[in-house]
Every structure is written in structure tokens, then in C-alpha cells.
Amino acid sequence: MANLIMKTAMSVPHPNPDGTTSHSTKPASGQVAGYPPKGEGTNDRCANFAFFAADENTTLALAQRLATLLKPGIVIYLRGDLGAGKTTFVRGVLNALGHTGRVKSPTYTLVESYHAGGLNLLHFDLYRMHDAEEWESAGFRDEFDGRNVFLIEWPEKAQELAPPADLEIVFSILAHGRQIELHANTETGRQCIRLLKE
Ligand SMILES: Nc1ncnc2c1ncn2[C@@H]1O[C@H](COP(=O)(O)OP(=O)(O)O)[C@@H](O)[C@H]1O
Ligand SMILES: [Mg+2]
């Protein structure tokens, strides 16, 4: 955890030459306007969690920690620009659960399924979904059965048809590294953040 700088602020970090980090309130790139959702207590220390990942391995280390906290049925949105680290994070989760094969980005297939660590996981990449209705026609709704773990890149493409997220993870590209922010929308999500902070 040496290079994992944890913060609870909702602001954008600007690395300083001395290694410290300054913050502004400007929304991060890829961050959705209006975050966190209205009604979600920003004073709730378990609702939000943010830190700076200096390199890919730091992102993978966080994914590894989150992997141990996943429960059947949890829904996680992964937001951020292309190349921000969403698929890298999913690879970290799957590898931590024991998956040794490739983790390919399901850009054209929209979804890849995995069985690892006793969990069924569905990794969605909806970037190339043209119409939200595809979520229905592809039968994805039926997969939301309380058991499958959903990891969804570009959830906004499915609009309100995708199941609501317990946890949203927002990746922002910085000059050197990534800002990764977690937002909990449910008690399940808050529990993940609570345990990540321990
Ligand atoms: N801190 C970091 N975390 C994650 N990826 C990083 C980081 N620094 C550099 N990278 C690189 O950025 C790219 C992220 O790609 P990917 O995970 O496919 O992004 P996305 O799925 O968001 O489009 C990879 O090439 C990875 O090596
Ligand atoms: Mg991706």
C-alpha cells in the first residue's frame, strides 16, 4: 500500500513536485455531473473513497482488495475515458479470484462471463452498444438474478435499463497515474468501502 495514497475528498488531485497532492473541485475527466447522487450523504465516510494510483500495479492492487469483498449479485459500474484503466481493474479482480486465462475487453461481444473464486462474474463493455434497447434484446436483464456479479464499463449506454449500481468506480487519467474514486449507492457498496478503508 506504500504508493496507494488514500483520500476521502471528492476533488481532483494535482500532484505537486514534492510528491504531495493538491485538490481542486473541478470534476474529474470522465466523472459524471451530479456526483454523488442526490440524497447520498456526502458526510457518510463510507459513501466515497478516492485515491491516486501511480501505476498499473497500484490499480491492480486495489482491484485485488476489492475482489475479496465481492458478494453474489453486486453491481459495479466502471466509468472513465478510454484507456483510463477500467478493463485493467477488471483483470485485477479476476486474477485475484484465481482466473488465469486472458481477460479480453468485450468491446464487440458486449459481455464476457467468468467463473472464478466461487463467483459468476459478467464483464460488460457497452461502449459499442448503439441503442439501449440492446440491453433487453440481448437478454442481459435475465442475468440480473441476484447471483451474478456485474462489472459494467460504459453503463450509461444502457441508460436506465442496466441494474442500479451498488458501487461506481470512476477512473480519471492524470499526467502521471490515475485518480480512482469509489461511490457507494447502497448498503452493499458502503460495506465494500468501509472494509477497503480498514
Ligand atoms: N495507474 C494506472 N492504472 C491503470 N492503467 C494504467 C495506469 N497507468 C497506466 N495504465 C495503462 O492504461 C491503459 C488502461 O487500459 P484499459 O484498462 O484497457 O482502459 P479502459 O478499459 O478504461 O479503456 C493500459 O495500457 C495500462 O497499462
Ligand atoms: Mg475497457
Side-chain angles (χ1 to χ4, degrees), residues 174-185:
L174 305 179
H176 302 286
R178 303 289 189 271
Q179 158 93 344
I180 306 178
E181 296 185 349
L182 286 79
H183 309 287
N185 296 334

Side-chain angles (χ1 to χ4, degrees), residues 68-151:
T68 65
L69 308 177
L70 296 179
K71 298 276 185 293
I74 191 170
V75 177
I76 301 178
Y77 288 178
L78 302 131
R79 300 189 187 271
D81 293 339
L82 285 173
K86 303 179 295 298
T87 301
T88 300
F89 190 90
V90 172
R91 175 160 54 87
V93 167
L94 291 167
N95 289 347
L97 292 173
H99 174 75
T100 51
R102 274 193 68 202
V103 175
K104 50 182 177 170
S105 192
T107 310
Y108 293 97
T109 53
L110 300 183
V111 66
E112 285 285 335
S113 63
Y114 300 88
H115 185 75
L119 293 170
N120 292 318
L121 302 104
L122 296 176
H123 174 208
F124 294 88
D125 181 345
L126 306 181
Y127 185 68
R128 294 194 184 273
M129 200 162 93
H130 301 297
D131 180 350
E133 288 300 320
E134 280 181 58
W135 181 269
E136 301 289 314
S137 56
F140 295 155
R141 178 188 289 273
D142 299 337
E143 303 293 347
F144 183 52
D145 59 1
R147 291 194 300 274
N148 289 325
V149 171
F150 276 51
L151 300 159

